[in-house]
Amino acid sequence: MFFSDLIMSRNTTIYIDESGNTGQDLLNSEQKVFVLASNNFSKREIDILTSIFDNQKEIHFKKLKNSDKGRSSIIKLLNHDLITEENIICVTAHKEFSTVGQIVDQIIEPVLYDYGIDIYLYGQNISATNFIFYFGNFFWEKEVYKQLLDAFIFMVRNKTKESIIEFYKNADKLYKQAKTKERGLLQPIMNSKSQINEILEGINKFTVDLTLSSFYILCDLWYKKLNHKINIVQDSSKQIEHYKEYIEFTKNLDIETQEVGFDSRTITFPTQIEKLELVSSENYLGVQISDLIASSIAYMYNNENPKQKKFVEEIQNSKLLGLSNYFTIWPSTEITPRELKMEKGEGQNILDFLANQNINKNGI
């Protein structure tokens, strides 16, 4: 068998499911983490894994977590020999941090763009998000910082005059309380007031949702792992259904396959998806396995019931949590271009690239 045949024999069907999705309500107090999990188990491997459970036709975390036997079965799956980097990739997002990131993307970026500054160059968007998150949690008056985040979410969900006034009232309050040298982080938010109606006009009900961005990350990671186009089987998703035409656009671009982005933060275009199916998870055991993986991770982060401490610790200590190929959207102390591996400034802005592709296709 030639090497190319070996590549082709590897399973390129990817099963995807999520946990912790609260849509635009990114600051939901009971769901603080969003997880999109995926696997490429073969039919034989799926049969082996589902044999762990008594009811092999429907294995859902929500039901299994309620009994000792169910929890034991979940832990057995998470520690199985098949739980490896070859078979599983997950995206895990800290939703408060992601909310700050959305303020950077939706409010700060347009202001800096008008000043001729590309905030994505050298990872400045990541630096700004980390700075605001840490100042908000550890240096600024935390309650005022939280009110700003709440007001942002309320504004993008409602887009009313009252919600805009409330957002800038909180922004002004935080700006005045911040030390002078820290106000530079908040100044673009203050300056955005003159264009906020235009900004909000471009935001729809799924703009700040984490599903689409996580979906693209997963697809790109699988393509790079398998070096082959992939077939996606995903639990029915309103967000992916909404963006299906957009996904078709990015996978049908009439260009040579290429990496787009800056330095270490790149993604492959055209999107390397052969086929995308949105299905009912009850008919696909591969999707149910991704549900168990995603829900286990989300439960570990979100659960605060002391009665479930043992179960949470078993998840933390499982083989699943020892895997190294997670992609995390998470606060960190990495703020310099060198720390972010983005010091070269090589590449191109993904948003500019996609806008140009749309112009080339539609002539607008």
Side-chain angles (χ1 to χ4, degrees):
M1 183 180 285
F2 294 101
F3 179 72
S4 59
D5 295 325
L6 285 171
I7 290 294
M8 287 296 291
S9 69
R10 296 174 69 182
N11 187 22
T12 56
T13 297
I14 312 301
Y15 300 99
I16 299 178
D17 205 353
E18 64 186 31
S19 184
N21 188 351
T22 52
Q24 289 179 308
D25 184 17
L26 288 179
L27 298 173
N28 186 290
S29 60
E30 295 181 359
Q31 299 287 337
K32 300 175 183 177
V33 170
F34 170 77
V35 184
L36 194 65
S38 62
N39 73 78
N40 73 331
F41 291 121
S42 66
K43 174 67 168 61
R44 182 182 67 84
E45 291 167 333
I46 289 171
D47 289 341
I48 291 171
L49 290 172
T50 54
S51 69
I52 294 171
F53 304 92
D54 288 342
N55 181 357
Q56 297 170 19
K57 293 182 179 179
E58 192 169 356
I59 48 173
H60 289 298
F61 184 90
K62 286 182 180 179
K63 293 181 179 179
L64 291 165
K65 71 178 176 62
N66 294 324
S67 68
D68 289 340
K69 192 169 186 179
R71 291 191 293 271
S72 177
S73 297
I74 292 171
I75 297 303
K76 189 178 290 187
L77 179 137
L78 301 186
N79 285 313
H80 198 279
D81 289 345
L82 289 172
I83 301 297
T84 70
E85 280 91 352
E86 290 302 309
N87 296 320
I88 294 167
I89 301 177
C90 300
V91 175
T92 305
H94 186 293
K95 286 159 76 172
E96 180 193 328
F97 179 72
S98 299
T99 302
V100 177
Q102 288 292 345
I103 291 176
V104 172
D105 284 343
Q106 308 300 332
I107 305 296
I108 293 178
E109 190 276 339
V111 173
L112 296 184
Y113 182 85
D114 286 349
Y115 290 136
I117 299 171
D118 187 339
I119 197 172
Y120 301 109
L121 186 63
Y122 304 115
Q124 296 171 92
N125 61 314
I126 304 170
S127 298
T129 304
N130 277 319
F131 268 125
I132 293 172
F133 178 87
Y134 277 107
F135 277 125
N137 276 280
F138 302 108
F139 295 98
W140 296 335
E141 188 174 332
K142 194 168 183 177
E143 185 59 32
V144 178
Y145 157 76
K146 293 286 189 182
Q147 288 171 355
L148 177 67
L149 300 193
D150 286 333
F152 169 73
I153 293 296
F154 187 76
M155 179 176 68
V156 298
R157 293 177 75 179
N158 293 278
K159 300 184 181 182
T160 61
K161 181 179 178 180
E162 292 74 19
S163 67
I164 293 171
I165 291 172
E166 183 67 17
F167 174 71
Y168 285 104
K169 184 181 79 173
N170 284 284
D172 184 63
K173 190 186 300 183
L174 188 61
Y175 181 83
K176 288 176 178 176
Q177 290 184 1
K179 293 181 180 178
T180 302
K181 63 181 180 180
E182 298 161 4
R183 289 179 180 173
L185 284 168
L186 302 171
Q187 190 63 57
I189 298 177
M190 306 303 295
N191 293 353
S192 69
K193 194 171 184 178
S194 62
Q195 61 189 99
I196 190 60
N197 289 322
E198 182 181 353
I199 290 171
L200 292 177
E201 189 177 335
I203 293 177
N204 64 55
K205 64 180 180 178
F206 295 127
T207 298
V208 301
D209 184 276
L210 297 168
T211 306
L212 183 68
S213 55
S214 300
F215 172 85
Y216 271 107
I217 291 167
L218 273 187
C219 292
D220 195 57
L221 291 172
W222 275 114
Y223 164 69
K224 288 170 179 173
K225 177 186 284 290
L226 299 173
N227 194 30
H228 197 277
K229 283 192 174 184
I230 58 176
N231 297 299
I232 300 295
V233 179
Q234 181 164 351
D235 189 28
S236 184
S237 164
K238 291 180 181 178
Q239 291 86 347
I240 298 302
E241 184 65 47
H242 175 81
Y243 284 113
K244 219 170 180 182
E245 184 177 343
Y246 179 77
I247 293 169
E248 286 295 314
F249 165 71
T250 63
K251 80 184 189 69
N252 292 321
L253 294 175
D254 187 20
I255 56 172
E256 293 293 322
T257 302
Q258 58 192 273
E259 293 294 300
V260 182
F262 291 118
D263 294 329
S264 63
R265 305 273 173 162
T266 62
I267 193 167
T268 310
F269 287 106
T271 307
Q272 297 297 296
I273 298 173
E274 191 71 55
K275 185 178 180 182
L276 168 62
E277 292 182 83
L278 297 179
V279 302
S280 173
S281 64
E282 64 185 29
N283 299 321
Y284 290 83
L285 290 171
V287 175
Q288 292 178 36
I289 290 172
S290 284
D291 165 71
L292 284 175
I293 292 168
S295 297
S296 295
I297 297 170
Y299 188 82
M300 180 190 72
Y301 283 112
N302 293 323
N303 182 71
E304 296 179 355
N305 184 349
K307 292 182 179 180
Q308 299 301 330
K309 183 179 179 182
K310 180 176 180 290
F311 182 41
V312 169
E313 289 177 346
E314 287 177 331
I315 297 172
Q316 289 174 330
N317 296 324
S318 70
K319 185 180 178 185
L320 174 70
L321 269 293
L323 301 185
S324 60
N325 62 336
Y326 286 95
F327 186 96
T328 57
I329 303 170
W330 212 262
S332 79
T333 57
E334 296 175 349
I335 53 174
T336 68
R338 183 175 294 277
E339 289 170 338
L340 295 167
K341 298 182 176 61
M342 297 191 71
E343 69 272 19
K344 294 180 181 178
E346 296 177 345
Q348 58 182 314
N349 185 304
I350 291 177
L351 298 179
D352 289 344
F353 167 81
L354 290 173
N356 288 331
Q357 292 302 316
N358 187 52
I359 290 171
N360 291 340
K361 180 181 178 181
N362 299 308
I364 56 174

